[in-house]
Amino acid sequence: MLIRFKKSFEKIAMGLLSFMPEAKDVKKLQDIIKEYENNEDWHLYLWKEGEDIIGAAGVRVNEREAIIQHVSVNPSHRNSGIGRKMVGKVRDKYQGSYSVCATEETEAFIEKCNRTK
């Protein structure tokens, strides 16, 4: 289930985002989380199954687009469709009001999700 990020999930979200190649540095991770907390155009969602939070998806919106800029799944849960489910739920959430697209970093994964709907 896709849930909205809250401050109490900060360490979990940082851990999940640290699996992304461009977010290995602790300072960079802190800056990303701070942006999600303070910028009303940045929205971070977490994927929860049972009691466990196992994925994160971040979206930046502008007037016309919802840009999926972060997608990360706990390595022990990869290759089981979690990322595809997250992207699908994010797409469902934004598609009526925005054109949903990807950043250069997430584009290949989003394209793969689009092919395996």
Side-chain angles (χ1 to χ4, degrees):
M1 147 179 45
L2 199 65
I3 60 172
R4 187 73 190 245
F5 167 80
K6 354 183 217 195
K7 183 78 172 161
S8 61
F9 297 137
E10 182 175 16
K11 287 182 180 171
I12 295 168
M14 282 181 66
L16 288 165
L17 291 175
S18 74
F19 296 124
M20 296 191 64
E22 72 273 8
K24 295 286 184 200
D25 177 58
V26 172
K27 175 74 171 116
K28 175 83 169 162
L29 282 168
Q30 290 170 330
D31 291 345
I32 291 169
I33 292 294
K34 189 180 293 185
E35 195 71 29
Y36 279 115
E37 290 174 343
N38 298 323
N39 188 331
E40 64 185 34
D41 294 331
W42 284 44
H43 308 278
L44 184 60
Y45 300 94
L46 303 172
W47 188 263
K48 187 174 184 179
E49 288 197 354
E51 295 299 312
D52 298 327
I53 296 173
I54 59 174
V59 179
R60 183 180 73 241
V61 296
N62 60 36
E63 299 83 35
R64 297 179 307 268
E65 299 172 315
I67 305 154
I68 301 172
Q69 59 187 5
H70 297 110
V71 179
S72 182
V73 176
N74 180 314
S76 63
H77 294 275
R78 289 186 181 161
N79 300 313
S80 61
I82 302 298
R84 184 174 29 82
K85 288 179 194 175
M86 278 194 308
V87 168
K89 291 292 184 184
V90 167
R91 186 181 296 113
D92 291 348
K93 181 170 188 54
Y94 288 97
Q95 206 157 30
S97 304
Y98 298 93
S99 171
V100 179
C101 57
T103 62
E104 190 175 305
E105 293 82 13
T106 61
E107 187 173 28
F109 183 75
I110 303 302
E111 288 296 318
K112 180 180 174 186
C113 292
N114 289 340
R115 288 190 304 268
T116 60
K117 279 193 221 178

